[in-house]
Coordinates of all heavy atoms in Angstrom, one line a residue:
M1 N 21.2 3.0 -2.3 CA 20.3 1.8 -2.3 C 19.1 2.1 -1.6 O 19.1 2.7 -0.5 CB 21.1 0.6 -1.6 CG 20.2 -0.6 -1.5 SD 21.0 -1.8 -0.4 CE 21.1 -3.1 -1.6
V2 N 17.9 1.7 -2.1 CA 16.6 1.9 -1.5 C 16.2 0.6 -1.0 O 16.2 -0.4 -1.7 CB 15.6 2.4 -2.5 CG1 14.3 2.6 -1.9 CG2 16.1 3.8 -3.1
V3 N 15.8 0.5 0.3 CA 15.3 -0.7 0.9 C 13.8 -0.5 1.3 O 13.5 0.5 2.0 CB 16.1 -1.0 2.2 CG1 15.5 -2.2 2.9 CG2 17.6 -1.2 1.8
L4 N 13.0 -1.4 0.9 CA 11.6 -1.3 1.3 C 11.4 -2.4 2.4 O 11.7 -3.5 2.2 CB 10.6 -1.6 0.1 CG 10.7 -0.6 -1.0 CD1 9.8 -1.1 -2.2 CD2 10.3 0.8 -0.6
E5 N 10.8 -2.0 3.5 CA 10.6 -2.9 4.6 C 9.1 -3.0 4.8 O 8.4 -2.0 4.9 CB 11.2 -2.4 5.9 CG 11.1 -3.3 7.0 CD 11.8 -2.8 8.2 OE1 12.8 -2.0 8.1 OE2 11.4 -3.2 9.3
I6 N 8.6 -4.2 4.9 CA 7.2 -4.5 5.2 C 7.0 -5.0 6.6 O 7.7 -5.9 7.0 CB 6.6 -5.5 4.1 CG1 6.7 -4.9 2.7 CG2 5.1 -5.8 4.5 CD1 6.3 -5.9 1.7
Q7 N 6.2 -4.3 7.4 CA 6.0 -4.6 8.7 C 4.9 -5.7 8.8 O 3.9 -5.6 8.1 CB 5.6 -3.4 9.6 CG 6.7 -2.3 9.6 CD 7.8 -2.8 10.5 OE1 7.7 -3.5 11.4 NE2 9.0 -2.3 10.1
T8 N 5.1 -6.7 9.7 CA 4.0 -7.7 9.9 C 3.0 -7.1 10.9 O 3.4 -6.6 12.0 CB 4.6 -8.9 10.5 OG1 5.6 -9.4 9.6 CG2 3.6 -10.0 10.7
P9 N 1.7 -7.1 10.6 CA 0.7 -6.5 11.5 C 0.7 -7.3 12.8 O 1.1 -8.4 12.9 CB -0.6 -6.8 10.8 CG -0.3 -7.0 9.4 CD 1.1 -7.5 9.3
K10 N 0.4 -6.5 13.9 CA 0.3 -7.1 15.2 C -0.6 -8.3 15.2 O -1.7 -8.3 14.6 CB -0.1 -6.1 16.3 CG 0.9 -5.0 16.5 CD 0.3 -4.1 17.5 CE 1.3 -2.9 17.7 NZ 0.8 -1.9 18.6
G11 N -0.2 -9.4 15.9 CA -1.1 -10.6 16.0 C -0.8 -11.6 14.9 O -1.3 -12.7 15.0
L12 N 0.0 -11.3 13.9 CA 0.3 -12.2 12.9 C 1.8 -12.6 13.0 O 2.7 -11.7 13.0 CB 0.0 -11.7 11.5 CG -1.4 -11.5 11.1 CD1 -1.5 -10.9 9.7 CD2 -2.2 -12.7 11.2
A13 N 2.1 -13.8 13.0 CA 3.5 -14.2 13.0 C 4.1 -14.0 11.6 O 3.5 -14.3 10.6 CB 3.6 -15.7 13.4
A14 N 5.4 -13.6 11.6 CA 6.0 -13.5 10.3 C 6.0 -14.8 9.6 O 6.3 -15.9 10.2 CB 7.5 -13.0 10.5
G15 N 5.8 -14.8 8.3 CA 5.8 -16.1 7.5 C 4.4 -16.8 7.5 O 4.3 -17.8 6.9
M16 N 3.5 -16.3 8.3 CA 2.1 -16.9 8.4 C 1.1 -15.8 8.0 O 0.5 -15.2 8.8 CB 1.9 -17.4 9.8 CG 2.9 -18.5 10.2 SD 2.4 -19.4 11.6 CE 1.0 -20.2 11.0
P17 N 0.9 -15.7 6.7 CA 0.1 -14.5 6.2 C -1.4 -14.7 6.5 O -2.2 -13.7 6.3 CB 0.3 -14.6 4.7 CG 0.7 -15.9 4.4 CD 1.4 -16.4 5.6
Q18 N -1.9 -15.8 7.0 CA -3.3 -15.9 7.4 C -4.3 -15.5 6.3 O -5.2 -14.7 6.6 CB -3.5 -15.2 8.7 CG -2.7 -15.6 9.9 CD -3.0 -17.0 10.3 OE1 -4.2 -17.4 10.2 NE2 -2.0 -17.7 10.8
G19 N -4.1 -15.9 5.1 CA -5.0 -15.5 4.0 C -4.6 -14.3 3.2 O -5.2 -14.0 2.2
N20 N -3.5 -13.6 3.6 CA -3.1 -12.5 2.9 C -2.1 -12.8 1.8 O -1.6 -11.9 1.1 CB -2.5 -11.4 3.8 CG -3.6 -10.8 4.6 OD1 -4.7 -10.6 4.2 ND2 -3.2 -10.4 5.8
E21 N -1.7 -14.1 1.7 CA -0.6 -14.5 0.8 C -0.9 -14.0 -0.7 O 0.0 -13.5 -1.3 CB -0.4 -16.0 0.8 CG 0.8 -16.4 0.1 CD 1.1 -17.9 0.3 OE1 1.2 -18.3 1.5 OE2 1.3 -18.6 -0.7
R22 N -2.1 -14.3 -1.2 CA -2.4 -13.9 -2.6 C -2.3 -12.4 -2.8 O -1.8 -11.9 -3.8 CB -3.8 -14.4 -3.0 CG -3.8 -15.8 -3.4 CD -5.1 -16.2 -4.0 NE -6.2 -16.0 -3.0 CZ -7.5 -15.9 -3.3 NH1 -7.9 -16.1 -4.5 NH2 -8.3 -15.7 -2.3
K23 N -2.8 -11.6 -1.8 CA -2.7 -10.1 -1.9 C -1.3 -9.7 -1.9 O -0.9 -8.8 -2.7 CB -3.5 -9.5 -0.8 CG -5.0 -9.6 -0.9 CD -5.8 -9.0 0.2 CE -5.9 -10.1 1.2 NZ -6.7 -9.9 2.4
D24 N -0.5 -10.3 -1.0 CA 0.9 -9.9 -0.9 C 1.6 -10.3 -2.2 O 2.4 -9.5 -2.7 CB 1.6 -10.6 0.2 CG 1.2 -10.1 1.6 OD1 0.5 -9.0 1.7 OD2 1.4 -10.8 2.6
Q25 N 1.3 -11.4 -2.8 CA 2.0 -11.8 -4.0 C 1.6 -10.9 -5.2 O 2.4 -10.6 -6.0 CB 1.6 -13.3 -4.3 CG 2.3 -14.3 -3.5 CD 1.8 -15.7 -3.7 OE1 0.8 -15.9 -4.5 NE2 2.5 -16.7 -3.2
R26 N 0.3 -10.5 -5.2 CA -0.2 -9.6 -6.2 C 0.5 -8.3 -6.1 O 1.0 -7.7 -7.1 CB -1.7 -9.5 -6.2 CG -2.3 -8.6 -7.2 CD -3.8 -8.5 -7.3 NE -4.3 -8.2 -6.0 CZ -5.2 -9.0 -5.3 NH1 -5.6 -10.1 -5.9 NH2 -5.7 -8.7 -4.1
F27 N 0.6 -7.7 -4.9 CA 1.2 -6.4 -4.7 C 2.7 -6.5 -5.1 O 3.3 -5.7 -5.8 CB 1.0 -5.9 -3.3 CG 1.7 -4.6 -3.0 CD1 1.1 -3.4 -3.4 CD2 2.9 -4.6 -2.4 CE1 1.7 -2.2 -3.1 CE2 3.6 -3.4 -2.1 CZ 3.0 -2.2 -2.5
N28 N 3.4 -7.5 -4.5 CA 4.8 -7.7 -4.8 C 5.1 -8.0 -6.3 O 6.1 -7.5 -6.8 CB 5.4 -8.9 -4.0 CG 5.4 -8.5 -2.5 OD1 5.4 -7.3 -2.1 ND2 5.4 -9.5 -1.6
G29 N 4.2 -8.7 -6.9 CA 4.3 -8.9 -8.4 C 4.2 -7.6 -9.2 O 4.9 -7.4 -10.2
R30 N 3.3 -6.8 -8.8 CA 3.2 -5.5 -9.4 C 4.4 -4.6 -9.2 O 4.9 -4.0 -10.1 CB 1.9 -4.7 -8.9 CG 0.6 -5.4 -9.4 CD -0.6 -4.6 -8.8 NE -1.8 -5.2 -9.3 CZ -3.0 -4.9 -8.9 NH1 -3.1 -3.9 -8.0 NH2 -4.1 -5.4 -9.4
I31 N 5.0 -4.7 -8.0 CA 6.2 -4.0 -7.8 C 7.3 -4.5 -8.6 O 8.1 -3.8 -9.2 CB 6.6 -4.0 -6.3 CG1 5.6 -3.3 -5.4 CG2 8.0 -3.5 -6.0 CD1 5.6 -1.8 -5.6
A32 N 7.4 -5.9 -8.7 CA 8.4 -6.5 -9.6 C 8.3 -6.1 -11.0 O 9.3 -5.8 -11.7 CB 8.3 -8.0 -9.5
D33 N 7.0 -6.0 -11.5 CA 6.8 -5.5 -12.9 C 7.3 -4.1 -13.1 O 7.8 -3.8 -14.1 CB 5.3 -5.6 -13.2 CG 4.8 -7.0 -13.4 OD1 5.6 -7.9 -13.6 OD2 3.5 -7.2 -13.4
I34 N 7.0 -3.2 -12.1 CA 7.5 -1.9 -12.2 C 9.0 -1.8 -12.3 O 9.6 -1.1 -13.1 CB 7.0 -1.0 -11.0 CG1 5.5 -0.8 -11.1 CG2 7.7 0.3 -11.0 CD1 4.9 -0.2 -9.9
L35 N 9.7 -2.6 -11.5 CA 11.1 -2.7 -11.5 C 11.7 -3.2 -12.8 O 12.7 -2.8 -13.3 CB 11.6 -3.5 -10.3 CG 11.3 -2.9 -8.9 CD1 11.8 -3.8 -7.8 CD2 12.0 -1.5 -8.8
K36 N 11.0 -4.2 -13.4 CA 11.4 -4.8 -14.7 C 11.2 -3.9 -15.9 O 12.0 -3.9 -16.8 CB 10.7 -6.1 -14.9 CG 11.1 -7.3 -14.0 CD 10.3 -8.5 -14.4 CE 10.4 -9.5 -13.3 NZ 9.5 -10.7 -13.5
T37 N 10.1 -3.1 -15.9 CA 9.7 -2.4 -17.1 C 10.1 -1.0 -17.1 O 9.9 -0.2 -18.0 CB 8.2 -2.5 -17.3 OG1 7.5 -1.9 -16.1 CG2 7.7 -3.9 -17.5
N38 N 10.8 -0.5 -16.0 CA 11.2 0.9 -16.0 C 12.7 1.0 -15.9 O 13.4 0.2 -15.3 CB 10.6 1.6 -14.8 CG 9.2 1.9 -15.0 OD1 8.8 2.8 -15.7 ND2 8.3 1.1 -14.4
H39 N 13.3 2.0 -16.6 CA 14.7 2.3 -16.4 C 14.8 3.5 -15.5 O 14.3 4.6 -15.8 CB 15.3 2.6 -17.8 CG 16.8 3.0 -17.7 ND1 17.7 2.1 -17.5 CD2 17.4 4.2 -17.8 CE1 18.9 2.7 -17.4 NE2 18.7 4.0 -17.6
F40 N 15.5 3.3 -14.4 CA 15.6 4.4 -13.4 C 17.0 5.1 -13.6 O 18.0 4.4 -13.7 CB 15.5 3.8 -12.0 CG 14.2 3.1 -11.8 CD1 14.1 1.7 -11.8 CD2 13.0 3.8 -11.7 CE1 12.9 1.1 -11.6 CE2 11.8 3.2 -11.5 CZ 11.7 1.8 -11.5
I41 N 17.0 6.4 -13.5 CA 18.3 7.1 -13.7 C 19.0 7.2 -12.4 O 20.2 7.6 -12.3 CB 18.0 8.5 -14.3 CG1 17.0 9.3 -13.5 CG2 17.6 8.4 -15.8 CD1 16.8 10.7 -14.0
S42 N 18.3 7.0 -11.3 CA 19.0 7.1 -9.9 C 18.1 6.3 -8.9 O 17.0 5.9 -9.2 CB 19.1 8.5 -9.5 OG 17.8 9.1 -9.3
G43 N 18.7 6.1 -7.8 CA 17.9 5.5 -6.7 C 16.8 6.3 -6.3 O 15.7 5.8 -5.9
E44 N 17.0 7.6 -6.3 CA 15.9 8.6 -6.0 C 14.7 8.4 -7.0 O 13.5 8.5 -6.6 CB 16.4 10.0 -5.9 CG 15.3 11.0 -5.5 CD 15.9 12.4 -5.4 OE1 17.1 12.6 -5.0 OE2 15.1 13.3 -5.7
D45 N 15.0 8.3 -8.2 CA 14.0 8.2 -9.3 C 13.2 6.9 -9.0 O 12.0 6.9 -9.1 CB 14.7 8.1 -10.7 CG 13.7 7.9 -11.8 OD1 12.6 8.5 -11.7 OD2 14.1 7.3 -12.8
M46 N 13.9 5.8 -8.7 CA 13.2 4.5 -8.4 C 12.4 4.7 -7.2 O 11.2 4.2 -7.2 CB 14.3 3.4 -8.2 CG 13.6 2.1 -7.9 SD 14.8 0.7 -7.6 CE 15.5 1.1 -6.1
A47 N 12.9 5.3 -6.1 CA 12.1 5.5 -4.9 C 10.8 6.3 -5.2 O 9.7 6.0 -4.7 CB 12.9 6.2 -3.8
Q48 N 10.9 7.4 -6.0 CA 9.8 8.2 -6.3 C 8.7 7.4 -7.1 O 7.5 7.5 -6.8 CB 10.2 9.4 -7.0 CG 10.9 10.4 -6.2 CD 11.4 11.6 -7.0 OE1 11.3 11.6 -8.2 NE2 11.9 12.6 -6.3
T49 N 9.2 6.6 -8.0 CA 8.3 5.8 -8.8 C 7.6 4.8 -7.9 O 6.3 4.6 -8.0 CB 9.1 5.0 -9.9 OG1 9.7 6.0 -10.8 CG2 8.1 4.1 -10.8
L50 N 8.3 4.1 -7.0 CA 7.7 3.1 -6.1 C 6.7 3.8 -5.2 O 5.6 3.3 -4.9 CB 8.7 2.4 -5.4 CG 9.6 1.4 -6.2 CD1 10.7 0.8 -5.4 CD2 8.7 0.3 -6.9
M51 N 7.0 5.0 -4.7 CA 6.1 5.7 -3.8 C 4.8 6.1 -4.5 O 3.8 6.1 -4.0 CB 6.8 6.9 -3.2 CG 7.9 6.6 -2.2 SD 7.3 5.5 -0.8 CE 6.2 6.6 0.0
R52 N 5.0 6.5 -5.8 CA 3.8 6.9 -6.6 C 2.9 5.7 -6.7 O 1.7 5.8 -6.6 CB 4.1 7.4 -7.9 CG 4.6 8.9 -7.9 CD 4.7 9.5 -9.3 NE 5.6 8.8 -10.2 CZ 6.9 9.1 -10.3 NH1 7.4 10.1 -9.7 NH2 7.6 8.4 -11.2
Y53 N 3.5 4.5 -7.0 CA 2.7 3.3 -7.1 C 2.0 2.9 -5.8 O 0.8 2.5 -5.8 CB 3.5 2.1 -7.6 CG 2.6 0.9 -7.7 CD1 1.6 0.8 -8.7 CD2 2.7 -0.1 -6.7 CE1 0.8 -0.3 -8.7 CE2 1.8 -1.2 -6.7 CZ 0.9 -1.3 -7.7 OH 0.0 -2.3 -7.7
V54 N 2.7 3.0 -4.7 CA 2.2 2.7 -3.4 C 1.0 3.6 -3.1 O -0.1 3.2 -2.6 CB 3.2 2.8 -2.3 CG1 2.6 2.7 -0.9 CG2 4.2 1.6 -2.4
Y55 N 1.1 4.9 -3.4 CA 0.0 5.8 -3.3 C -1.2 5.4 -4.1 O -2.3 5.3 -3.6 CB 0.5 7.3 -3.7 CG -0.7 8.2 -3.6 CD1 -1.0 8.8 -2.4 CD2 -1.5 8.5 -4.7 CE1 -2.1 9.7 -2.3 CE2 -2.6 9.3 -4.7 CZ -2.9 9.9 -3.5 OH -4.0 10.7 -3.4
L56 N -0.9 5.1 -5.4 CA -2.0 4.7 -6.3 C -2.7 3.4 -5.7 O -3.9 3.4 -5.7 CB -1.4 4.4 -7.7 CG -2.3 3.7 -8.7 CD1 -3.3 4.8 -9.2 CD2 -1.6 3.2 -9.9
Y57 N -1.9 2.4 -5.3 CA -2.5 1.2 -4.8 C -3.3 1.4 -3.5 O -4.4 0.9 -3.4 CB -1.3 0.2 -4.4 CG -1.8 -1.1 -4.0 CD1 -2.0 -2.1 -4.9 CD2 -2.0 -1.4 -2.6 CE1 -2.4 -3.4 -4.5 CE2 -2.4 -2.7 -2.2 CZ -2.6 -3.7 -3.2 OH -3.0 -4.9 -2.8
N58 N -2.9 2.3 -2.6 CA -3.6 2.5 -1.4 C -4.7 3.4 -1.5 O -5.7 3.3 -0.7 CB -2.6 3.0 -0.3 CG -1.7 1.9 0.2 OD1 -2.0 0.8 0.2 ND2 -0.5 2.3 0.6
H59 N -4.7 4.4 -2.4 CA -5.7 5.5 -2.4 C -6.6 5.4 -3.6 O -7.7 6.0 -3.6 CB -5.0 6.8 -2.5 CG -4.3 7.1 -1.2 ND1 -4.9 7.8 -0.2 CD2 -3.0 6.8 -0.8 CE1 -4.0 8.0 0.8 NE2 -2.9 7.4 0.5
Q60 N -6.3 4.7 -4.7 CA -7.1 4.8 -5.9 C -7.5 3.5 -6.5 O -8.4 3.4 -7.4 CB -6.4 5.6 -7.0 CG -6.2 7.1 -6.5 CD -5.5 7.9 -7.6 OE1 -5.2 7.5 -8.7 NE2 -5.2 9.1 -7.2
L61 N -6.9 2.3 -6.1 CA -7.3 1.1 -6.7 C -8.2 0.3 -5.8 O -7.7 -0.3 -4.8 CB -6.0 0.2 -7.0 CG -5.1 0.8 -8.1 CD1 -3.9 -0.1 -8.2 CD2 -5.8 0.9 -9.4
P62 N -9.5 0.2 -6.0 CA -10.3 -0.6 -5.2 C -9.9 -2.1 -5.2 O -9.5 -2.6 -6.3 CB -11.7 -0.4 -5.8 CG -11.6 0.8 -6.7 CD -10.2 0.8 -7.1
Q63 N -10.1 -2.7 -4.1 CA -9.7 -4.1 -4.0 C -11.0 -5.0 -3.7 O -11.8 -4.7 -2.9 CB -8.7 -4.3 -2.8 CG -7.5 -3.4 -2.8 CD -6.6 -3.8 -4.0 OE1 -6.3 -5.0 -4.3 NE2 -6.1 -2.8 -4.7
S64 N -11.1 -6.1 -4.5 CA -12.3 -6.9 -4.3 C -12.4 -7.5 -2.9 O -13.4 -7.7 -2.4 CB -12.3 -8.0 -5.4 OG -11.2 -8.8 -5.3
A65 N -11.2 -7.8 -2.3 CA -11.2 -8.4 -1.0 C -11.7 -7.4 0.1 O -12.0 -7.8 1.2 CB -9.8 -8.9 -0.6
L66 N -11.7 -6.1 -0.3 CA -12.1 -5.0 0.6 C -13.5 -4.5 0.2 O -13.8 -3.4 0.5 CB -11.1 -3.9 0.6 CG -9.7 -4.3 1.1 CD1 -8.7 -3.1 1.0 CD2 -9.7 -4.8 2.6
H67 N -14.2 -5.3 -0.5 CA -15.6 -5.0 -0.9 C -15.6 -3.7 -1.8 O -16.3 -2.8 -1.6 CB -16.5 -4.8 0.2 CG -16.5 -6.0 1.2 ND1 -17.1 -7.2 0.8 CD2 -16.0 -6.2 2.4 CE1 -17.0 -8.0 1.8 NE2 -16.3 -7.5 2.8
S68 N -14.7 -3.7 -2.8 CA -14.5 -2.7 -3.8 C -14.2 -1.3 -3.1 O -14.5 -0.3 -3.7 CB -15.8 -2.6 -4.6 OG -16.0 -3.8 -5.4
R69 N -13.4 -1.4 -2.0 CA -12.9 -0.1 -1.4 C -11.4 -0.1 -1.6 O -10.8 -1.2 -1.7 CB -13.3 -0.1 0.1 CG -14.8 0.0 0.4 CD -15.0 -0.1 1.8 NE -14.6 -1.4 2.3 CZ -14.5 -1.7 3.6 NH1 -14.9 -0.8 4.6 NH2 -14.1 -2.9 4.0
T70 N -10.8 1.1 -1.5 CA -9.4 1.2 -1.5 C -8.9 0.8 -0.1 O -9.7 0.9 0.9 CB -8.9 2.6 -1.8 OG1 -9.3 3.5 -0.8 CG2 -9.5 3.0 -3.2
P71 N -7.6 0.4 0.1 CA -7.1 0.2 1.4 C -7.3 1.3 2.4 O -7.7 1.1 3.6 CB -5.6 -0.1 1.2 CG -5.6 -0.7 -0.2 CD -6.7 0.1 -0.9
V72 N -7.2 2.6 1.9 CA -7.4 3.7 2.8 C -8.8 3.8 3.2 O -9.1 4.1 4.4 CB -6.8 5.0 2.2 CG1 -7.3 6.2 3.0 CG2 -5.3 5.0 2.1
Q73 N -9.7 3.6 2.3 CA -11.2 3.7 2.6 C -11.5 2.6 3.7 O -12.2 2.9 4.6 CB -12.0 3.5 1.4 CG -12.0 4.6 0.4 CD -12.7 4.3 -0.9 OE1 -12.6 3.1 -1.4 NE2 -13.2 5.3 -1.6
A74 N -10.9 1.4 3.5 CA -11.2 0.3 4.4 C -10.6 0.7 5.8 O -11.3 0.4 6.8 CB -10.6 -1.0 3.9
M75 N -9.5 1.3 5.9 CA -8.9 1.7 7.1 C -9.8 2.7 7.8 O -10.0 2.7 9.0 CB -7.5 2.2 6.9 CG -6.4 1.1 6.8 SD -4.7 1.7 6.6 CE -4.6 3.1 7.7
K76 N -10.3 3.7 7.0 CA -11.1 4.7 7.6 C -12.4 4.1 8.2 O -12.8 4.5 9.3 CB -11.5 5.8 6.6 CG -10.3 6.7 6.2 CD -10.8 7.7 5.2 CE -9.7 8.7 5.0 NZ -10.2 9.8 4.1
D77 N -13.0 3.2 7.4 CA -14.2 2.5 7.9 C -13.9 1.7 9.2 O -14.7 1.8 10.2 CB -14.8 1.6 6.9 CG -15.3 2.3 5.7 OD1 -15.5 3.5 5.7 OD2 -15.5 1.6 4.6
C78 N -12.8 1.1 9.3 CA -12.4 0.3 10.4 C -12.1 1.2 11.6 O -12.5 1.0 12.8 CB -11.2 -0.5 10.2 SG -10.7 -1.6 11.5
N79 N -11.5 2.4 11.3 CA -11.3 3.4 12.4 C -12.6 3.9 13.0 O -12.6 4.2 14.2 CB -10.5 4.5 11.8 CG -10.2 5.6 12.9 OD1 -10.8 6.6 12.9 ND2 -9.2 5.3 13.7
Q80 N -13.6 4.0 12.2 CA -14.9 4.4 12.7 C -15.5 3.4 13.6 O -16.2 3.8 14.6 CB -15.9 4.7 11.5 CG -15.5 5.8 10.6 CD -15.6 7.2 11.4 OE1 -16.6 7.4 12.1 NE2 -14.7 8.0 11.1
T81 N -15.4 2.1 13.3 CA -16.0 1.1 14.2 C -15.1 0.6 15.3 O -15.6 0.1 16.3 CB -16.4 -0.1 13.3 OG1 -15.3 -0.6 12.6 CG2 -17.5 0.3 12.3
H82 N -13.8 0.7 15.1 CA -12.8 0.2 16.1 C -11.7 1.2 16.3 O -10.5 1.0 16.1 CB -12.2 -1.1 15.7 CG -13.2 -2.2 15.4 ND1 -13.8 -2.4 14.2 CD2 -13.7 -3.1 16.3 CE1 -14.6 -3.4 14.3 NE2 -14.6 -3.8 15.5
P83 N -12.0 2.4 16.8 CA -10.9 3.5 17.0 C -9.8 3.1 17.9 O -8.7 3.6 17.8 CB -11.7 4.7 17.5 CG -13.0 4.2 18.0 CD -13.3 2.9 17.3
N84 N -10.1 2.2 18.8 CA -9.1 1.8 19.8 C -7.9 1.0 19.2 O -6.9 0.8 19.8 CB -9.7 0.9 20.9 CG -10.4 -0.3 20.4 OD1 -11.1 -0.2 19.4 ND2 -10.2 -1.4 21.0
L85 N -8.1 0.5 17.9 CA -7.0 -0.2 17.2 C -6.0 0.7 16.6 O -5.0 0.2 16.1 CB -7.6 -1.1 16.2 CG -8.6 -2.2 16.7 CD1 -9.1 -3.0 15.5 CD2 -7.8 -3.2 17.6
F86 N -6.3 2.0 16.5 CA -5.4 2.9 15.8 C -4.7 3.9 16.7 O -5.3 4.4 17.6 CB -6.3 3.7 14.8 CG -6.8 2.9 13.7 CD1 -8.0 2.1 13.9 CD2 -6.2 2.9 12.4 CE1 -8.5 1.3 12.8 CE2 -6.7 2.2 11.4 CZ -7.8 1.4 11.6
V87 N -3.4 4.1 16.4 CA -2.7 5.1 17.2 C -2.9 6.4 16.6 O -3.1 7.4 17.3 CB -1.1 4.8 17.1 CG1 -0.3 5.9 17.7 CG2 -0.9 3.4 17.8
K88 N -3.0 6.5 15.2 CA -3.3 7.7 14.5 C -4.6 7.5 13.7 O -4.9 6.4 13.2 CB -2.2 8.1 13.5 CG -1.0 8.6 14.2 CD 0.0 9.0 13.1 CE 1.2 9.6 13.6 NZ 2.2 10.0 12.6
R89 N -5.3 8.6 13.4 CA -6.5 8.5 12.5 C -6.0 8.4 11.1 O -5.2 9.2 10.6 CB -7.3 9.7 12.8 CG -8.7 9.6 12.1 CD -9.6 10.8 12.6 NE -9.2 12.1 12.2 CZ -9.4 12.6 10.9 NH1 -10.1 11.9 10.1 NH2 -9.0 13.8 10.6
P90 N -6.5 7.5 10.2 CA -6.2 7.4 8.8 C -6.7 8.7 8.1 O -7.7 9.2 8.4 CB -6.9 6.2 8.3 CG -7.4 5.5 9.5 CD -7.4 6.4 10.6
Y91 N -5.9 9.2 7.2 CA -6.2 10.4 6.4 C -5.7 10.2 5.0 O -4.8 9.4 4.7 CB -5.7 11.6 7.0 CG -4.2 11.7 7.1 CD1 -3.5 12.3 6.1 CD2 -3.5 11.1 8.2 CE1 -2.1 12.4 6.2 CE2 -2.1 11.1 8.2 CZ -1.4 11.8 7.2 OH -0.1 11.8 7.3
N92 N -6.3 11.0 4.1 CA -5.8 11.0 2.7 C -4.6 12.0 2.6 O -4.6 13.1 3.1 CB -6.9 11.6 1.7 CG -7.9 10.5 1.5 OD1 -7.7 9.3 1.5 ND2 -9.1 11.0 1.2
R93 N -3.5 11.5 2.0 CA -2.4 12.4 1.7 C -2.6 13.2 0.5 O -3.4 12.8 -0.4 CB -1.1 11.5 1.5 CG -0.8 10.8 2.8 CD 0.4 9.9 2.6 NE 1.3 10.2 1.6 CZ 2.2 9.4 1.1 NH1 2.3 8.2 1.5 NH2 3.1 9.8 0.2
P94 N -2.0 14.4 0.4 CA -2.1 15.2 -0.9 C -1.7 14.3 -2.1 O -0.8 13.5 -2.0 CB -1.2 16.4 -0.6 CG -0.8 16.3 0.7 CD -1.1 15.0 1.3
E95 N -2.3 14.6 -3.2 CA -1.9 13.9 -4.4 C -0.6 14.3 -4.9 O -0.1 15.4 -4.7 CB -3.0 14.1 -5.5 CG -4.4 13.7 -5.1 CD -5.1 12.9 -6.1 OE1 -4.4 12.5 -7.1 OE2 -6.2 12.6 -5.9
Y96 N 0.1 13.4 -5.6 CA 1.4 13.7 -6.3 C 1.1 14.6 -7.5 O 0.1 14.6 -8.1 CB 2.1 12.4 -6.7 CG 2.6 11.6 -5.6 CD1 1.9 10.6 -5.0 CD2 3.8 12.0 -5.0 CE1 2.5 9.8 -3.9 CE2 4.3 11.3 -3.9 CZ 3.7 10.2 -3.4 OH 4.2 9.5 -2.3
D97 N 2.1 15.3 -7.9 CA 2.0 16.2 -9.0 C 2.0 15.5 -10.4 O 1.5 16.0 -11.3 CB 3.2 17.2 -9.0 CG 3.2 18.1 -7.8 OD1 2.1 18.4 -7.3 OD2 4.2 18.6 -7.4
T98 N 2.5 14.3 -10.4 CA 2.6 13.6 -11.7 C 1.4 12.7 -12.0 O 0.7 12.4 -11.1 CB 3.9 12.8 -11.8 OG1 3.9 11.8 -10.8 CG2 5.1 13.6 -11.8

């Protein structure tokens, strides 16, 4: 069984998305679509498919709420202006083979 856990950012109470509700619903809806439209041969196959989508979402799909930047680009920009908010510096992970 594969379990995906979403952490609530510091400063936000669980269940109070403070304006992120639409983005969360869109992301979760896309994940639900992937789960409905794919046949997985194993839990590992499903986990790899979901990780590829998370990579695509974070690194390659610009978001209008982030001024047409990807989430990783927005994090890098934020790190430049507010480095004290980050424990680690954001970086690009190597691309997947598929």
Side-chain angles (χ1 to χ4, degrees):
M1 174 191 243
V2 176
V3 176
L4 297 177
E5 183 177 335
I6 299 174
Q7 297 290 326
T8 302
K10 291 180 183 177
L12 291 181
M16 300 195 61
Q18 301 294 329
N20 288 329
E21 187 172 310
R22 278 190 301 166
K23 289 177 269 186
D24 291 344
Q25 287 175 349
R26 181 174 51 237
F27 179 80
N28 291 338
R30 289 177 179 175
I31 294 293
D33 288 344
I34 290 169
L35 295 174
K36 288 179 194 173
T37 59
N38 287 282
H39 176 74
F40 303 103
I41 57 175
S42 67
E44 184 178 325
D45 180 35
M46 180 178 73
Q48 288 176 352
T49 300
L50 292 173
M51 290 304 293
R52 282 193 300 269
Y53 177 73
V54 169
Y55 175 86
L56 174 73
Y57 185 89
N58 286 330
H59 293 267
Q60 296 182 5
L61 294 177
Q63 306 293 316
S64 60
L66 299 175
H67 307 288
S68 298
R69 296 176 295 173
T70 66
V72 169
Q73 288 169 330
M75 280 182 38
K76 285 181 173 186
D77 293 346
C78 185
N79 181 256
Q80 293 293 319
T81 58
H82 301 91
N84 57 318
L85 298 177
F86 291 80
V87 175
K88 289 183 173 180
R89 190 171 67 83
Y91 62 94
N92 285 330
R93 294 175 28 196
E95 300 228 7
Y96 288 98
D97 293 333
T98 57

